[in-house]
Amino acid sequence: MTQLENLNQYFTENRERHLDEMKAFLAIPSISSLSEHKDDMYKAANHLSDLLTAAGMENATIHDTAGHPVVTADWLHAEGAPTVLVYGHYDVQPVDPVELWDSMPFEPEIRDNIMYARGSSDDKGQVFMHVKVLEAMLASDEKLPVNVKVIFEGEEEIGSVHLDQFIADHKDYLKADVVLISDTSLYAPGKPAVVYSLRGLTGIQIDVRTAKGDLHSGMYGGGVHNSIHVLADILASFHDENGHIAVEGFYDNVLPISDDERAAYAELGFDAEQMKEEAGVKTLFGEEGFSYLEQTWARPTLEINGVFGGFSGEGVKTVLPAQAGAKITCRLVPNQDPHEIVALLRAHVAKHQPEGVDIEITEFDKGKPFIAPFDHPYVQAAGHSYETQYDQKTAFIRSGGSIPIVSTFDEILAAPVIMMGFALSTENFHAPNEHFHLENFDKGLRVVSDYLTEIASIEKI
């Protein structure tokens, strides 16, 4: 049998064991944003280190950071072959509201060949898939076709706060010819996709104060500022009626969408009715002059994520709220700088700030956008490997989401970043009843195996 036939047999014979091991990994509540789960983060890191060692990887190490630990390992005995750096994250989002789950989020269940658990698709299930590929190759052939390093972090869901510095401090160790990530989705069920661009992310919180405390509306109403009125005016000023962002200078550095990209998006056969059904909305709305895929992949956004202030209990409380606030995030596209965008947001708020009203701006974490040439040999090889398991041609697409650390890999390691995901956009990551279709787990094992084998024959660039 060929190596890939041996691997296929290994995956088939060990499938039940692998799924049981995946359940054990998913059962660890590695919620990075909640301090009460700090011990669980170390438990997950140790568990992952043990899985890597059992798979045959060498030098598995848990690195302390100022936040949650980073796990690394390597196998570097493929002389002359490219070096692949595999990245993923073992942290997950909180599970609230837990009452909306059909099964407990950290008690994994398989129903109809679908794994239900928090982290099953984002991203622990896909991280586990890569570990099992390495295990299978080392068990079947006692070697890997390429050199492999892994870096798995525990802070992706909170902005990879400390990973930039970790990569900078360990750039010599992490040096690689290509970075491989499975933290994205297929374009559609059965339709594989290589993501070559991601949007960046930045944001602010706006806190408005108009008085030292809430005021009686009968005594002061009509005579002083109402904090919610002030906030509402500012928020309304961010967009015009056609969905364009009205912040001066916001679009200045946005790269135009090429004709080739527009043509490629048109060939994907986007179904607006299906998208409306998936989102549970009656109509789609976005920046005028662009298609839905262009709006969500290649154009920037400014979203109001939350508004707070005043009285919201039962009945009426006749006060003028002294304080109100809002949280705003922006998805950014290639050539936009998060720091510059925040400066523009600050200037816009200041322009609309009434006299006598105090406004405080708090900045959120920032992530740069990313774009790579999709004609790169390592990118194209990913498309070929997908097609060994999927019957449709691989799409090369942008993603509207953000993986901030990707631009860091691009800048510090100067290696192409290949995003080969196996999740589906409908799998409820970040929401109740997150799940992972095991059909794509099975195919993913074989696709990644083929990819590592194929790029071994590509001359190092």
Side-chain angles (χ1 to χ4, degrees):
M1 289 191 294
T2 66
Q3 182 191 32
L4 293 179
E5 288 173 335
N6 282 332
L7 291 172
N8 185 63
Q9 180 177 332
Y10 185 90
F11 292 134
T12 300
E13 292 176 349
N14 290 276
R15 187 174 190 268
E16 292 306 313
R17 174 176 65 84
H18 288 169
L19 294 181
D20 286 342
E21 291 178 358
M22 185 194 293
K23 286 181 178 180
F25 186 36
L26 294 172
I28 303 171
S30 49
I31 305 173
S32 55
S33 62
L34 301 180
S35 58
E36 60 262 36
H37 287 283
K38 183 176 181 179
D39 289 345
D40 292 316
M41 298 304 296
Y42 275 92
K43 183 178 179 181
N46 278 285
H47 190 94
L48 188 51
S49 177
D50 290 343
L51 286 173
L52 288 163
T53 299
M57 295 294 286
E58 300 172 348
N59 303 312
T61 305
I62 298 171
H63 305 264
D64 286 327
T65 71
H68 301 308
V70 171
V71 180
T72 63
D74 56 58
W75 190 94
L76 305 174
H77 305 294
E79 186 175 352
T83 297
V84 180
L85 177 64
V86 179
Y87 163 85
H89 65 93
Y90 64 86
D91 64 320
V92 300
Q93 285 277 337
V95 299
D96 297 333
V98 71
E99 64 270 15
L100 296 183
W101 287 76
D102 294 330
S103 54
M104 295 304 292
F106 295 111
E107 296 178 11
E109 288 188 8
I110 297 175
R111 303 192 296 272
D112 298 324
N113 203 34
I114 300 172
M115 178 75 78
Y116 288 85
R118 173 58 90 228
S120 54
S121 59
D122 182 23
D123 179 40
K124 289 167 78 173
Q126 299 197 70
V127 164
F128 181 84
M129 178 187 70
H130 280 278
V131 175
K132 293 297 114 175
V133 167
L134 299 173
E135 174 195 290
M137 285 188 152
L138 289 169
S140 299
D141 207 32
E142 297 185 350
K143 64 180 181 179
L144 300 177
V146 292
N147 299 295
V148 174
K149 303 173 183 178
V150 303
I151 176 171
F152 298 139
E153 67 155 322
E155 296 186 339
E156 195 275 343
E157 299 292 4
I158 54 174
S160 299
V161 185
H162 301 99
L163 194 59
D164 279 6
Q165 189 60 53
F166 182 89
I167 293 172
D169 292 342
H170 297 82
K171 63 180 180 180
D172 291 337
Y173 169 74
L174 296 172
K175 184 179 179 181
D177 298 290
V178 59
V179 181
L180 178 59
I181 299 175
S182 294
D183 194 17
T184 52
S185 303
L186 302 173
Y187 176 70
K191 177 68 171 179
V194 176
V195 176
Y196 65 89
S197 182
L198 296 166
R199 292 196 288 192
L201 184 67
T202 193
I204 60 172
Q205 178 169 315
I206 304 172
D207 288 291
V208 176
R209 176 178 282 277
T210 55
K212 63 181 180 181
D214 292 352
L215 301 174
H216 191 292
S217 66
M219 297 175 62
Y220 297 96
V224 300
H225 281 297
N226 181 314
S227 66
I228 294 181
H229 293 183
V230 173
L231 179 65
D233 287 342
I234 292 172
L235 298 182
S237 74
F238 281 124
H239 296 86
D240 67 18
E241 65 276 10
N242 295 316
H244 299 290
I245 297 168
V247 175
E248 186 175 353
F250 193 90
Y251 294 109
D252 285 358
N253 294 320
V254 173
L255 297 177
I257 304 168
S258 70
D259 291 340
D260 287 344
E261 285 183 294
R262 287 183 185 272
Y265 297 168
E267 290 179 1
L268 292 174
F270 173 73
D271 188 333
E273 293 304 314
Q274 180 181 337
M275 181 56 65
K276 286 190 285 187
E277 181 179 351
E278 178 182 318
V281 299
K282 295 180 180 178
T283 186
L284 300 178
F285 172 79
E287 185 184 1
E288 190 175 59
F290 298 90
S291 70
Y292 179 86
L293 293 183
E294 291 166 356
Q295 290 165 350
T296 57
W297 288 354
R299 297 296 292 172
T301 67
L302 186 156
E303 301 291 352
I304 301 165
N305 308 120
V307 178
F308 45 92
F311 176 71
S312 59
E314 184 178 357
V316 175
K317 184 179 183 181
T318 54
V319 296
L320 305 182
Q323 299 180 69
K327 295 179 184 292
I328 293 169
T329 54
C330 300
R331 297 285 179 173
L332 308 179
V333 295
N335 219 39
Q336 285 186 301
D337 181 87
H339 296 278
E340 292 178 1
I341 293 300
V342 167
L344 295 176
L345 296 179
R346 284 183 174 276
H348 183 89
V349 172
K351 181 179 177 180
H352 292 81
Q353 179 175 352
E355 184 177 352
V357 172
D358 294 326
I359 294 181
E360 182 179 352
I361 303 293
T362 304
E363 299 181 15
F364 296 147
D365 293 331
K366 302 170 182 65
K368 293 182 179 180
F370 165 80
I371 191 166
F374 60 76
D375 58 353
H376 193 287
Y378 288 136
V379 177
Q380 290 299 310
H384 300 154
S385 293
Y386 268 126
E387 290 165 12
T388 64
Q389 298 297 317
Y390 292 89
D391 294 330
Q392 295 191 46
K393 184 179 179 181
T394 301
F396 293 88
I397 66 174
R398 298 193 188 202
S399 171
S402 303
I403 308 176
I405 204 62
V406 169
S407 64
T408 304
F409 284 129
D410 180 49
E411 292 177 1
I412 295 179
L413 301 184
V417 181
I418 313 300
M419 288 173 275
M420 301 175 66
F422 297 90
L424 294 173
S425 63
T426 55
E427 289 179 334
N428 289 9
F429 24 85
H430 295 201
N433 297 312
E434 180 180 352
H435 54 280
F436 188 20
H437 286 73
L438 295 178
E439 173 189 6
N440 291 319
F441 170 73
D442 293 332
K443 289 183 176 180
L445 293 168
R446 293 157 174 83
V447 168
V448 173
S449 298
D450 183 86
Y451 182 68
L452 296 180
T453 301
E454 179 166 346
I455 65 171
S457 62
I458 296 176
E459 184 176 348
K460 292 201 292 185
I461 299 171

